[in-house]
Each structure stands twice: as C-alpha cells, then as structure tokens.
C-alpha cells in the first residue's frame, strides 16, 4: 500500500508485528527508547495482569510514528518545540507554542487510532 501524497511511509497496521517493525524504518535513532518502553509495558502488564500498560505503549509509539511519517507534522512539532525552548516563560507566544505542540500530538494520536 502506497502512503498518501506527502507521507514518508504508509501508516502501520494496528498490529503488534507492524508496530514493532515501524520504528526501525521511521525513527531508527529512537529504537533503544522503543525497546525500553516495550519491556517496561510488558513487565507491568505481567505484574498487574492488566493490558493497560501494553495499550498505552502501543498508542504512544503509534503516535510517535504517525508524527514522524508525515513531514508537515514533523515540521509543526519541531517548530513548536523550538519556540518552547527559546521563548521566555512569560512570553505569550509560549502558550501558543504549547497549544501547537498539543494540537500536533492530538492530531497524530487521533489518526493512529487513539482518542
């Protein structure tokens, strides 16, 4: 399946194998974090007998992948981060930057199946 125009990669299927393969392709520099988060989620799920930690892990990484595979979202996120790190805490533009950061995250999360 070809990605929509402008997307770097197709959206991974919402399956464990697809989600495991996507970071290596989309964010290879973040694989150590992906693996650590995965191990933590599965350990917590095993300890508690609950599937919540695994679902949270999947949603987190599906959101990361959704942002990284779509250049416009990457650009918006990077610009919002840059502004958050360079604007003074009392600058009104900082609130707008935080709003943009959250809007990108929410858009990616919704597109990847999250609420």
């Amino acid at each position: 399946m070809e990605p929509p125009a402008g997307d770097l990669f197709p959206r991974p299927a919402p399956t464990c194998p697809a989600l495991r393969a996507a970071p290596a392709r989309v964010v290879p520099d973040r694989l150590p974090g992906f693996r650590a988060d995965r191990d933590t989620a599965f350990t917590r799920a095993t300890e508690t007998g609950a599937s919540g930690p695994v679902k949270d892990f999947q949603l987190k990484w599906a959101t990361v992948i959704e942002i990284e595979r779509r250049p416009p979202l990457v650009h918006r996120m990077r610009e919002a981060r840059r502004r958050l790190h360079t604007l003074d805490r009392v600058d009104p533009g900082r609130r707008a930057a935080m709003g943009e950061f959250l809007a990108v995250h929410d858009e990616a999360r919704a597109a990847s199946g999250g609420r």
Side-chain angles (χ1 to χ4, degrees):
M1 178 175 154
E2 286 296 312
D7 292 356
L8 298 176
F9 304 98
R11 181 177 293 122
T15 65
C16 286
L19 187 57
R20 273 194 312 269
R25 184 173 184 194
V26 181
V27 286
D29 58 321
R30 294 183 66 182
L31 278 174
F34 172 86
R35 290 181 182 127
D37 285 354
R38 179 196 60 203
D39 293 348
T40 298
F42 279 88
T43 299
R44 284 189 185 142
T46 300
E47 290 171 349
T48 64
S51 63
V54 174
K55 290 178 181 178
D56 292 345
F57 159 77
Q58 289 176 310
L59 180 57
K60 173 187 175 178
W61 282 94
T63 301
V64 167
I65 291 162
E66 185 66 23
I67 292 168
E68 293 294 331
R69 69 181 204 83
R70 296 172 54 192
L73 290 183
V74 170
H75 175 73
R76 288 173 53 203
M77 182 65 82
R78 286 184 183 154
E79 180 58 21
R81 278 188 183 135
R82 183 194 64 75
R83 290 174 41 219
L84 284 169
H85 291 290
T86 59
L87 293 175
D88 189 77
R89 289 192 178 272
V90 296
D91 189 315
R94 197 168 198 291
R95 183 180 294 255
M98 179 56 78
E100 178 66 359
F101 180 92
L102 294 172
V104 170
H105 183 271
D106 291 349
E107 180 180 335
R109 184 178 174 134
S112 65
R115 313 262 180 272

